[in-house]
Amino acid sequence: MVDTAGTGAGAEGVEAPLEPNGPNAPELTIFDLAPEEDSGSDTLGRYRYQAEVAARDCLAMLTQDAIDFVVCEWHEDFVVARTDGSVELVSVKHREGTQGPWTLAELCKSGGLTHLFDRWCACECAANVRLRLATNAALKPGKGNAGILARMCGPEPEITAGLTAMAEDVARQMLKVRWKQPYPNVPDTPVSKVADIQIPEGFLDKVVRFLAVLEISCKPPHRENITDVNIQRLLVPAVEQLQLAHVDLENTYRAVVDRIERANRDESDRGQLAVYIADPSRVRHSKQMQLRIGRRRITRYIVRQEFVYTSVQLPTFPRGQAPLVAPGGAKLRRKLSRGLVPSDEAAFAERLRSAWYTTWSERRSGLAGDETDLLNLSTDVLAMAFECRSHARGQVAEGSAFGGKMNDLLAERLKVDALPSPPPFQLNHLHLRGLAYQLCDECLFFFSEPFDADEEAS
């Protein structure tokens, strides 16, 4: 949750459960561990800010292979899961300008540093867990203060001299916070003054390790600026790199943030979570936990689903460049001929196949998700082709050629708005028919009863 300073991804629809014990999973993943239930302000503005900070990582997924998915309100404000098996717990802290820069003491108390430390410990300080404290506010400079601390954090710190002394200051501030806030992984040292705190054995070493996996980032813009900054610095470059046309930037950004907010607020199974935590074995509740993660997970595909386009008609061939001619085509021609599709319609089918080839070559992102996007879209188109073939057979005399009727039905029914899920980028109806003809050329369906297209060519 987000407090005065802020804390939060998943999907509204349930995807396939994660597989934390799969062959590529790290030995310990934080998604095996139930998060604590946060409490705090429900101020809509702060929730929105938290979602907009999460949107920065979600939009980055569009152009970066390094990020696998984001899970909202899990352990911290959100968790970034990376393709290398590492995960990053991110705590978001918004600070009003009237409050001034963060001091070291405030960062440990209301800035969430102790909270991050406690959650890291709950994850058994695993080697694959990294941490980020993201705040819009400045850090107070000067020896022993928050500005110097930030420069001492991470695996390659800018400053190394005085690290032990800084870690001792951080440890004492965390132990002070523990006097009033019951963090399970911070020892209780009931004394009256910070100077009198005796750091428990082993605690200082753990704080030093904590600082080595921590990043304190002041990159998120202020609440009044973050929308414009995210659109211009993240969404616009993504749209350009993906070569998308007619994207409504403001409505797309709003839709992405709204989706993140819905994931943040999904508490439909809070009771199940309580049962999961209470069960020492937790084995029979793991599926429930995975379903909860699924509802909070934001993937690259989910972000692409939220894109909003203007009503401008997309041209079949991109303007300003020579169209590409799709390779192959011989098998498609034989199949259309066997199905008695008229020769002019067969020639048009070749043109549409080239239109699809040109569009796919230009619009594909170049990221690992391309093949899955193409598989999903191809599956939807194939399903429609088989449906059209079934109807075409029923509308001609038994044993008669039905390819012409099937082609008519494809033209009538294969529409973008008829697909069960949105395409990965903007297409028009003719592009879908071009993809259908390409799938036919790959021998995935026929305009007649199946035959050996290779053997007939010989």
Side-chain angles (χ1 to χ4, degrees):
M1 301 294 180
V2 183
D3 54 20
T4 303
T7 56
E12 186 180 52
V14 178
E15 297 187 34
L18 300 175
E19 297 182 1
N21 298 317
N24 298 320
E27 290 185 5
L28 182 146
T29 168
I30 61 165
F31 301 119
D32 289 331
L33 178 69
E36 295 178 10
E37 294 299 337
D38 283 324
S39 61
S41 172
D42 285 79
T43 305
L44 292 179
R46 291 173 184 144
Y47 265 122
R48 190 71 177 183
Y49 183 76
Q50 171 185 312
E52 292 200 70
V53 174
R56 294 169 68 82
D57 285 276
C58 292
L59 292 173
M61 282 192 292
L62 296 173
T63 56
Q64 297 178 20
D65 277 327
I67 301 177
D68 194 7
F69 57 89
V70 174
V71 180
C72 293
E73 287 282 3
W74 193 264
H75 291 280
E76 285 297 335
D77 293 327
F78 60 97
V79 175
V80 179
R82 302 186 182 275
T83 51
D84 64 2
S86 67
V87 292
E88 185 178 30
L89 312 188
V90 184
S91 177
V92 180
K93 295 295 176 183
H94 186 274
R95 189 169 172 88
E96 302 297 340
T98 56
Q99 295 176 285
W102 290 106
T103 65
L104 179 63
E106 290 173 324
L107 208 58
C108 290
K109 183 181 179 182
S110 55
L113 208 58
T114 306
H115 191 269
L116 259 179
F117 175 83
D118 186 68
R119 295 295 171 87
W120 176 65
C121 292
C123 295
E124 300 178 8
C125 312
N128 68 309
V129 178
R130 294 150 54 179
L131 310 164
R132 189 196 328 162
L133 177 59
T135 180
N136 65 303
L139 306 172
K140 191 166 185 178
K143 184 178 179 180
N145 226 314
I148 299 297
L149 170 64
R151 298 167 67 188
M152 290 183 166
C153 292
E156 298 180 358
E158 180 184 345
I159 299 175
T160 56
L163 175 60
T164 301
M166 176 63 78
E168 289 178 353
D169 288 345
V170 171
R172 285 194 170 88
Q173 290 297 334
M174 288 182 175
L175 293 168
K176 178 184 177 183
V177 171
R178 175 65 177 83
W179 295 348
K180 294 184 178 180
Q181 300 182 47
Y183 290 113
N185 296 293
V186 179
D188 188 10
T189 54
V191 294
S192 57
K193 297 181 181 179
V194 175
D196 295 335
I197 293 177
Q198 296 296 314
I199 300 177
E201 184 177 355
F203 188 68
L204 181 60
D205 290 340
K206 188 172 284 189
V207 171
V208 171
R209 289 167 55 203
F210 165 71
L211 298 182
V213 297
L214 171 68
E215 175 193 358
I216 300 177
S217 169
C218 298
K219 294 178 182 178
H222 287 274
R223 191 161 57 202
E224 59 271 20
N225 301 324
I226 190 169
T227 296
D228 290 337
V229 171
N230 283 358
I231 290 175
Q232 295 304 318
R233 295 185 183 176
L234 294 166
L235 182 56
V236 169
V239 168
E240 291 175 351
Q241 183 169 330
L242 297 174
Q243 297 183 318
L244 302 179
H246 311 304
V247 175
D248 186 326
L249 294 172
E250 291 188 3
N251 283 325
T252 293
Y253 179 76
R254 186 178 299 114
V256 171
V257 175
D258 286 347
R259 185 62 177 266
I260 294 170
E261 284 192 319
R262 293 199 300 272
N264 282 348
R265 295 172 182 173
D266 181 3
E267 290 297 339
S268 60
D269 58 350
R270 186 181 291 271
Q272 292 183 0
L273 177 62
V275 172
Y276 178 87
I277 296 173
D279 189 334
S281 70
R282 298 181 181 174
V283 174
R284 58 195 179 89
H285 299 288
S286 60
K287 184 175 182 180
Q288 294 175 351
M289 291 301 294
Q290 296 306 316
L291 290 175
R292 179 177 178 184
I293 294 170
R295 282 190 290 273
R296 292 173 174 270
R297 182 171 48 165
I298 301 291
T299 63
R300 182 179 293 106
Y301 176 72
I302 288 171
V303 175
R304 289 285 289 268
Q305 280 187 308
E306 299 302 329
F307 269 57
V308 178
Y309 296 92
T310 62
S311 58
V312 177
Q313 180 64 40
L314 183 70
T316 303
F317 286 94
R319 295 188 177 97
Q321 63 183 60
L324 302 174
V325 176
K331 294 179 182 179
L332 172 64
R333 288 190 291 273
R334 293 180 205 122
K335 292 176 181 180
L336 293 173
S337 176
R338 176 69 72 92
L340 299 185
V341 174
S343 59
D344 55 350
E345 293 184 24
F348 188 55
E350 282 288 355
R351 177 173 293 189
L352 294 187
R353 194 171 69 89
S354 290
W356 160 255
Y357 180 74
T358 301
T359 299
W360 174 246
S361 299
E362 292 295 321
R363 301 297 174 84
R364 62 188 305 173
S365 69
L367 300 176
D370 280 342
E371 294 309 314
T372 301
D373 287 342
L374 180 58
L375 179 62
N376 286 328
L377 184 58
S378 298
T379 300
D380 292 342
V381 171
L382 275 174
M384 182 64 72
F386 292 140
E387 182 180 321
C388 290
R389 185 171 69 183
S390 176
H391 283 267
R393 277 196 181 114
Q395 294 182 31
V396 299
E398 185 175 355
S400 299
F402 54 81
K405 184 60 180 177
M406 178 180 172
N407 199 43
D408 291 343
L409 289 173
L410 274 176
E412 177 186 331
R413 299 185 181 186
L414 191 52
K415 308 290 186 182
V416 174
D417 51 9
L419 295 174
S421 58
F425 49 78
Q426 192 181 21
L427 299 170
N428 66 26
H429 307 326
L430 296 180
H431 293 135
L432 291 181
R433 286 173 62 191
L435 173 56
Y437 294 132
Q438 175 60 37
L439 296 174
C440 179
D441 191 56
E442 296 171 7
C443 288
L444 295 179
F445 74 92
F446 293 75
F447 281 87
S448 63
E449 298 301 335
F451 65 97
D452 190 335
D454 290 318
E455 185 174 301
E456 182 162 306
S458 63

